[in-house]
Amino acid sequence: MATILGAVTTSHVPAIGGAIARKLQQDPYWKPFFDGYPAAREWVASVRPDIVVAFYNDHGLQFFLDKMPTFAVGAAPEYRHADEGWGIPTVPAFRGDPEFSWHVIEQLVADEFDVTTCQEMLVDHAFTVPMSLLWPDTVDWPVRVLPIAINTVQYPFPSPRRCYRLGQAVGRAIEAWDRDARVLVLGTGGLSHQLDGERAGYINKRFDLMCMEELVRDPEALARFSTVDLVREAGVQGVELVMWLAARGALTGAVSKVHSNYHIPISNTAAGLLVLENRTKAAPARAAA
Ligand code: DHB
Ligand code: FE
């Protein structure tokens, strides 16, 4: 039986990749941001995941405006990063698990989520930066991965509720996998930010902190927001909050907060981090020592 250990939700600003490469973790600008991550890494190490299922959004590396899947699920043996033009170093390739991917895809389609299946898939900063935050200086990633890309680039976007329901369906699919696997869920993006237009630089701390609280307590309340609500409250790119909702949806048991961090700004973004533990009756998240 596969076990869902919990979720890490984090911002994925590309500049973080540059700061990691230049070892700026102690720099006064970066320190309050990076100081949030050791506790997340300690928790991840304690729950010993062997698979990461990551909800993220592709920003034009793999999918462009001409062909834009609403939900795209990886089914590749390997996922490579490539130069996106941000000037950040590319990271080593990630190992996939096609058997697990196809199991999740079959379950999702049976559950009426008609996803795009990707047997080749480049992953961008929204996937690689959070992985580098959890496993810094990695040359050989210690986990297999299943990337799930949600369109937040080309209108129309899937609604926050639909993304939450996708997460729930992914959670059911993971737990229906008849293999011993310890699965960590990742949701990347947000929190409030807007990169261009009249409101460029817009940040909404009150809304972000409310979302971080409600994501633990009452995610259905957040799922009631429309896309337009999110744009208004969190900025155009703040809609990346839907990845947090999808990750939360995948947690099937009693959910408790392990750790959080919030820091303004990193580049143009309010940077958030949340670590959630998932406790199911059948399989406690933390294995006995
Ligand atoms: C920034 C934030 C993002 O989420 C992103 O995908 C690209 C850039 C930023 O704040 O610079
Ligand atoms: Fe982004």
Side-chain angles (χ1 to χ4, degrees):
M1 259 285 284
T3 307
I4 300 169
L5 306 165
V8 175
T9 53
T10 170
S11 302
H12 62 218
V13 178
I16 299 163
I20 292 173
R22 286 179 289 142
K23 302 202 184 310
L24 295 179
Q25 288 85 346
Q26 297 304 315
D27 178 278
Y29 177 86
W30 288 101
K31 189 172 166 36
F33 169 78
F34 280 109
D35 278 355
Y37 287 83
R41 287 196 289 272
E42 276 161 30
W43 177 80
V44 168
S46 79
V47 296
R48 297 179 290 107
D50 38 41
I51 297 182
V52 168
V53 172
F55 296 96
Y56 75 109
N57 57 317
D58 182 89
H59 300 67
L61 179 68
Q62 175 60 69
F63 307 115
F64 202 58
L65 305 182
D66 58 337
K67 300 179 198 71
M68 183 56 70
T70 299
F71 299 129
V73 183
E78 175 182 272
Y79 302 92
R80 281 183 306 106
H81 183 209
D83 185 6
E84 303 169 61
W86 295 105
I88 60 177
T90 54
V91 301
F94 300 85
R95 252 177 317 132
D97 184 335
E99 191 186 320
F100 176 58
S101 285
W102 286 113
H103 163 80
V104 170
I105 289 163
E106 281 177 15
Q107 296 281 311
L108 287 177
V109 174
D111 224 342
E112 301 180 355
F113 281 90
D114 305 315
V115 297
T116 300
T117 57
C118 302
Q119 296 185 63
E120 290 182 4
M121 196 179 191
L122 293 173
V123 286
D124 79 353
H125 67 273
F127 184 92
T128 63
V129 163
M131 290 294 288
S132 297
L133 284 166
L134 293 184
W135 289 281
D137 305 321
T138 296
V139 281
D140 187 13
W141 302 101
V143 287
R144 313 193 295 282
V145 302
L146 169 48
I148 302 180
I150 298 179
N151 168 33
T152 62
V153 169
Q154 164 99 316
Y155 278 84
F157 300 161
S159 69
R161 176 179 286 106
R162 186 68 174 152
C163 296
Y164 183 63
R165 297 281 178 257
L166 172 74
Q168 290 179 310
V170 168
R172 287 192 292 272
I174 295 168
E175 287 197 331
W177 201 40
D178 189 17
R179 296 276 193 286
D180 281 333
R182 302 174 63 78
V183 180
L184 173 69
V185 181
L186 194 54
T188 93
L191 287 171
S192 59
H193 63 301
Q194 173 148 341
L195 300 180
D196 48 23
E198 277 179 24
R199 292 202 305 165
Y202 174 81
I203 278 174
N204 186 344
K205 180 175 179 178
R206 179 194 52 77
F207 184 75
D208 289 338
L209 295 180
M210 182 278 290
C211 288
M212 288 177 75
E213 219 176 285
E214 291 296 76
L215 201 78
V216 186
R217 213 173 55 91
D218 186 10
E220 291 278 355
L222 298 182
R224 284 194 283 275
F225 284 120
S226 68
T227 298
V228 172
D229 290 335
L230 291 190
V231 169
R232 189 191 315 108
E233 295 293 332
V236 172
Q237 280 74 34
V239 296
E240 289 179 347
L241 179 73
V242 295
M243 267 72 72
W244 291 45
L245 261 177
R248 174 65 175 85
L251 304 185
T252 49
V255 171
S256 57
K257 182 171 103 173
V258 175
H259 173 65
S260 68
N261 194 46
Y262 182 81
H263 176 67
I264 299 172
I266 287 299
S267 186
N268 297 296
T269 299
L273 166 68
L274 199 51
V275 179
L276 301 176
E277 188 160 70
N278 182 56
R279 281 184 186 277
T280 57
K281 274 206 184 98
R286 211 181 285 271

